[in-house]
Amino acid sequence: MKKVKTLALTAFAIIVSGGMMLVGCNGGTGNGSKADSTANSTSDNDNTILGAGSTFDNPLFSKMFSEYNKTNGLKVNYQSIGSGGGIQQLTSKTVDFGASDAPLNGKQDSALSGPVVHVPVTAGAVVISYNLPELKDTLNFTPDVLAKMFLGEIKKWNDPKIAAINKGVKLPATDILIAHRSDGSGTTNIFTTYLSKVSPEWDSKVGKGSSVNWPVGLGGKGNEGVAGSIKQTPGGVGYIELAYAMQNNMAFGKLQNKAGNFITPSIASVTSAANITIPADAKVSLTNTDAPDGYPISGLSWVLVYKEQKYSDRSADKATKMLKLIQWMIHDGQQYSGALNYAPLSPAAVTVGDAILKTVTYDGKPILQ
């Protein structure tokens, strides 16, 4: 596999302002206590957008926010803390937007103070990455083998079921050591939704969701944590976003799709999986695609914002700046997807995203015309 330079990823807040600066999650939200500083404080607050959530999105967001800052001067402080954490912070209104690889569920919706819209921003692949240093071949996985591995039923890398789909490959007798997410995660939702679709046993014993009771394995926080566990553990295997695997020069396998083809995760195979009808609310799953050349563990990721933006001490100016940022992300910002191994949004997804953004209001009036 072509070596890709490792990016320095952080689970802390990132403000892109030409370079990068670390700040606390509440940076820029306070109002000045002195009369002569109030105007400057308000101005700074309106020029800094706070977001939190998906680690799946973090490599792409870092690039997008850096480029947007160069031309618009807007600072974006994004905390890569996992989809669940981003939803919690949006619910408590400590951030301007959340980012999630799973649509809000009923329980999360009921905790909100008002309706939230889902704007699709990217599509990517969740890959099966493994650490077998002496293995030179790319491994094949079937849905059944993958489910049995994560259920703890296949315990060795040279198990006959793995050998049968990797003929001619010399598999080691190493223990299989599962790595999974410990935090609420949209990546977990994509992965477990897929397993629930392809394995009745998984569906009945574990099920799907952003957090599940894992039968086996060691938890890590964020895509970064799972990738780190795999890299440090010979025999380790786990699920991570394609960009993390590529940037860290990690091995990942091919997965058999519904059509019976073993598919390499790539921009092309994710794009194929995403070539479907996008509903008006943009809430759709791409897993277990019918596309013959589609990668079966693909998924959309969304930016989440309140439909009514006049709340707390938010200004109309700040709400407008945020929506223009998101609008740029789903249009011009898509040019940065390919180099980071994300699939650009389909024209249909962009059209739906534009329509959703136009429903967002300030004091009942549409912000974008």
Side-chain angles (χ1 to χ4, degrees):
M1 183 185 299
K2 182 179 179 181
K3 187 173 182 180
V4 180
K5 183 177 180 182
T6 302
L7 296 180
L9 300 174
T10 176
F12 296 96
I14 297 174
I15 282 187
V16 185
S17 181
M20 290 187 180
M21 296 164 43
L22 295 177
V23 299
C25 67
N26 291 320
T29 61
N31 290 325
S33 59
K34 297 181 180 179
D36 60 357
S37 65
T38 299
N40 286 336
S41 174
T42 302
S43 177
D44 289 345
N45 182 41
D46 286 352
N47 206 47
T48 300
I49 303 297
L50 306 180
S54 170
T55 64
F56 180 100
D57 293 333
N58 192 41
L60 179 60
F61 280 8
S62 294
K63 178 63 174 176
M64 282 183 169
F65 299 153
S66 175
E67 294 300 323
Y68 194 76
N69 173 264
K70 291 176 184 177
T71 57
N72 292 273
L74 187 70
K75 301 172 184 177
V76 183
N77 172 348
Y78 183 71
Q79 303 167 67
S80 174
I81 59 174
S83 298
I87 291 168
Q88 289 176 355
Q89 291 208 21
L90 184 68
T91 302
S92 63
K93 297 182 176 178
T94 56
V95 294
D96 300 300
F97 70 89
S100 177
D101 317 317
L104 295 173
N105 58 37
K107 183 178 180 180
Q108 291 165 334
D109 270 327
S110 64
L112 297 166
S113 62
V116 161
V117 299
H118 296 62
V119 183
V121 287
T122 192
V126 177
V127 306
I128 309 307
S129 181
Y130 51 85
N131 181 356
L132 296 171
E134 297 180 1
L135 192 69
K136 304 302 179 185
D137 302 274
T138 298
L139 289 182
N140 290 329
F141 296 96
T142 62
D144 180 64
V145 163
L146 191 61
K148 283 181 165 54
M149 287 171 63
F150 278 80
L151 284 166
E153 296 175 7
I154 294 179
K155 302 177 185 298
K156 296 280 188 180
W157 280 106
N158 64 347
D159 185 282
K161 288 185 174 63
I162 299 178
I165 54 175
N166 290 279
K167 297 186 184 302
V169 178
K170 188 176 180 180
L171 296 165
T174 309
D175 289 339
I176 292 173
L177 302 170
I178 298 294
H180 59 76
R181 291 286 287 272
S182 60
D183 54 328
S185 158
T187 307
T188 295
N189 184 72
I190 294 171
F191 183 63
T192 58
T193 296
Y194 168 75
L195 289 180
S196 291
K197 286 181 178 179
V198 300
S199 170
E201 184 181 11
W202 179 274
D203 191 40
S204 64
K205 291 183 177 179
V206 183
K208 62 185 178 182
S210 298
S211 295
V212 298
N213 292 320
W214 294 95
V216 293
L218 179 67
K221 188 173 183 180
N223 274 281
E224 304 95 329
V226 175
S229 294
I230 297 168
K231 290 188 72 174
Q232 295 165 19
T233 310
V237 60
Y239 59 96
I240 56 175
E241 202 277 319
L242 176 60
Y244 285 89
M246 295 292 289
Q247 291 159 7
N248 289 281
N249 199 27
M250 298 171 68
F252 52 86
K254 297 180 180 181
L255 182 59
Q256 189 180 47
N257 67 9
K258 190 184 289 188
N261 301 318
F262 285 95
I263 304 295
T264 300
S266 66
I267 295 170
S269 60
V270 173
T271 299
S272 180
N275 186 25
I276 60 173
T277 301
I278 307 295
D281 63 3
K283 300 177 185 179
V284 65
S285 173
L286 308 181
T287 55
N288 201 32
T289 175
D290 290 321
D293 52 353
Y295 180 68
I297 318 183
S298 299
L300 286 175
S301 193
W302 298 266
V303 162
L304 313 175
V305 299
Y306 281 99
K307 189 171 183 178
E308 171 55 57
Q309 285 288 299
K310 188 179 182 182
Y311 59 86
S312 303
D313 59 350
R314 294 176 66 75
S315 69
D317 181 53
K318 184 169 190 174
T320 301
K321 286 177 177 176
M322 181 183 70
L323 287 200
K324 287 184 176 180
L325 164 68
I326 299 170
Q327 189 177 52
W328 177 90
M329 290 169 70
I330 70 174
H331 285 276
D332 294 353
Q334 294 296 305
Q335 66 184 291
Y336 304 108
S337 301
L340 294 171
N341 300 294
Y342 294 84
L345 291 174
S346 67
V350 173
T351 298
V352 169
D354 276 333
I356 291 171
L357 285 173
K358 289 179 180 177
T359 69
V360 180
T361 59
Y362 190 89
D363 198 19
K365 298 177 182 178
I367 296 171
L368 299 179
Q369 302 303 318

